[in-house]
Amino acid sequence: MAKVFAIFNNMNDITNCIKNISVDNFRGIQHLEIDGFSKINLIAGKNNVGKSTILEALFLLIGMSNPELPNVVNTFRLRSNIANWDHLRYLFYNMDLDSKIQLTGVVKNENRSVDISLQNLYNAYGQSNSSTKMQNFDSIKLTFMRDGFPSQMSSVLSIFPDGRMNRQIDPVYMENTLARFIPASHENDLGVEFSQFLKNQKNGNRDVLLQILRKFDANISSIDMLNDGLYVGFENVNGLVPLAFAGDGLKLFLNVLISVANSNNDVIFIDEIDNGLHYSSYTLFWKSLIEMERNNKTQLFLTTHNSEMLCALRDVLKENTTYHPLVRFFSVSNFKNEMHAYKYDADEFIAAIDSDVEIRR
């Protein structure tokens, strides 16, 4: 195993990127605080409890200066590259467009916060026209602060009646934290990530990658980047197969593998990690993921509600206690519109699973 993962052994240990987060008025979350994130953070809960929303809130906090990002997170839900401007209203709790989404947290040991609000075009550019009462909002504004910067900053994205869009990003701010979001559909530009992987690593890394992939499917013979995307070769199959046709499980496994290996990623968010994976692959998934993580700088946030996936993680943690400090489990519940995230360390997680405690709430 050590030889297989030697490619990921070139990163020094660093402090976990995101320490905590507080979320207000975002999607179905009126208020939620989560503290004590570790290197690998698994979030579980019932359907529609807000697991994906938590990942999106963390993603927005990382990209707080990008006014296009609120629309981007809607594309994750739509499983499309296009989100209608009207969809922005679904970002706000109870669709109250007069409220502000407020996200605060500690990232790389620095406090940061962002307020997200909808405005009309005049307010967005600091002008006024009190005689005009606009029925629709045409601008989204991100107002943000971070330690080390002297004042409040803002970015704005506006849409004009003719459909043209205008983006204004605060020139003072430059984000130094990079994040990647893998939505539940697992549809994203893996080709770009694979090219970056090849660029960052030494010669022979493709062979190491294949060793790991063959543990997932022994028939995999090659993986290649062509002009129109990623292709996979299989034993006894004539020609290469586009990754899109190779199965959701392989696509997810490769997506996670390459994203974690890339040295340019600080944080990776993976929604519904069990989607497309056969239950027989769960143990291999966890072993591969944790082994890569302990030799890499990347911080992971994942969601699931699959009990077999939780049991597989329990078994892997039992088998190797050196993994314990890396893993935190958060059980999210919503009772009478009050949300809570209950934190379990590895030992507490194992004990809960062994005792048949329903920790998915």
Side-chain angles (χ1 to χ4, degrees):
M1 180 66 73
K3 291 183 179 179
V4 172
F5 290 99
I7 187 173
F8 308 111
N9 230 352
N10 61 347
M11 301 304 300
N12 296 323
D13 290 336
I14 65 169
T15 304
N16 294 323
C17 184
I18 304 176
K19 295 284 190 181
N20 54 48
I21 189 170
S22 176
V23 183
D24 289 284
N25 300 321
F26 181 50
R27 294 207 193 275
I29 300 177
Q30 185 175 23
H31 177 74
L32 176 65
E33 296 181 11
I34 310 179
D35 195 10
F37 291 132
S38 187
K39 201 162 173 52
I40 301 173
N41 304 278
L42 179 60
I43 301 169
K46 294 180 180 179
N47 287 329
N48 207 37
V49 76
K51 302 184 298 295
S52 301
T53 300
I54 293 170
L55 295 193
E56 292 168 344
L58 290 162
F59 191 54
L60 287 170
L61 184 64
I62 291 291
M64 62 184 184
S65 65
N66 184 353
E68 296 183 16
L69 211 56
N71 222 16
V72 169
V73 299
N74 276 334
T75 66
F76 299 154
R77 305 269 183 143
L78 296 170
R79 302 191 178 191
S80 166
N81 292 327
I82 301 174
N84 191 293
W85 184 265
D86 185 61
H87 292 151
L88 288 173
R89 61 194 175 108
Y90 300 122
L91 296 173
F92 294 82
Y93 181 74
N94 278 345
M95 286 185 280
D96 180 3
L97 305 187
D98 292 323
S99 67
K100 290 183 179 180
I101 298 168
Q102 296 180 309
L103 309 173
T104 62
V106 176
V107 178
K108 291 185 176 179
N109 293 321
E110 295 178 337
N111 294 296
R112 64 167 62 193
S113 65
V114 58
D115 291 353
I116 303 173
S117 61
L118 292 177
Q119 301 185 2
N120 63 54
L121 183 63
Y122 300 99
N123 288 340
Y125 291 100
Q127 301 174 5
S128 64
N129 189 340
S130 58
S131 63
T132 302
K133 294 184 178 180
M134 303 182 70
Q135 300 299 314
N136 298 315
F137 296 99
D138 55 19
S139 300
I140 186 164
K141 182 175 183 180
L142 281 62
T143 305
F144 52 96
M145 298 184 68
R146 176 179 148 192
D147 287 349
F149 289 83
S151 62
Q152 194 176 72
M153 298 161 283
S154 64
S155 297
V156 177
L157 180 69
S158 299
I159 184 168
F160 294 94
D162 61 4
R164 289 181 300 112
M165 302 189 76
N166 184 60
R167 184 178 69 168
Q168 290 188 337
I169 297 180
D170 198 299
V172 175
Y173 187 73
M174 178 65 69
E175 183 58 63
N176 65 348
T177 302
L178 297 178
R180 176 171 169 80
F181 198 110
I182 302 176
S185 64
H186 306 149
E187 296 288 348
N188 53 16
D189 196 351
L190 183 54
V192 173
E193 200 74 10
F194 184 70
S195 298
Q196 188 67 43
F197 168 77
L198 295 178
K199 180 180 178 181
N200 287 343
Q201 306 298 331
K202 298 178 181 179
N203 293 333
N205 54 7
R206 192 185 304 232
D207 292 337
V208 176
L209 179 63
L210 280 173
Q211 290 181 53
I212 303 172
L213 289 177
R214 284 173 183 148
K215 292 178 178 290
F216 179 83
D217 185 337
N219 293 315
I220 294 176
S221 60
S222 65
I223 178 167
D224 295 281
M225 183 68 191
L226 303 183
N227 290 335
D228 58 345
L230 270 176
Y231 284 75
V232 182
F234 294 91
E235 299 289 348
N236 302 318
V237 175
N238 292 325
L240 298 174
V241 178
L243 181 63
F245 292 95
D248 289 340
L250 176 59
K251 184 162 54 178
L252 170 63
F253 196 82
L254 184 60
N255 217 337
V256 174
L257 193 73
I258 293 175
S259 297
V260 173
N262 271 346
S263 60
N264 58 325
N265 289 321
D266 293 302
V267 189
I268 299 172
F269 305 100
I270 309 171
D271 199 12
E272 301 295 352
I273 54 171
D274 49 280
N275 275 3
L277 281 179
H278 190 265
Y279 73 90
S280 62
S281 302
Y282 291 169
T283 298
L284 172 62
F285 176 87
W286 283 121
K287 284 183 177 180
S288 303
L289 186 68
I290 298 174
E291 192 67 29
M292 284 190 293
E293 269 295 278
R294 72 174 181 175
N295 295 315
N296 206 302
K297 69 164 188 171
T298 311
Q299 186 180 25
L300 286 181
F301 293 85
L302 316 98
T303 69
T304 188
H305 58 262
N306 188 312
S307 60
E308 290 177 310
M309 181 63 90
L310 298 181
C311 288
L313 176 59
R314 181 269 316 267
D315 294 341
V316 170
L317 292 174
K318 274 188 169 182
E319 182 181 317
N320 193 333
T321 58
T322 64
Y323 293 161
H324 287 200
L326 302 175
V327 178
R328 290 290 181 277
F329 175 80
F330 297 86
S331 177
V332 179
S333 69
N334 189 342
F335 181 70
K336 294 183 178 180
N337 291 327
E338 290 190 9
M339 289 194 65
H340 298 278
Y342 301 93
K343 181 177 65 177
Y344 296 73
D345 63 23
D347 291 330
E348 293 167 337
F349 173 76
I350 291 171
I353 298 294
D354 283 346
S355 302
D356 290 325
V357 175
E358 179 51 82
I359 56 177
R360 295 172 298 169
R361 302 291 170 177

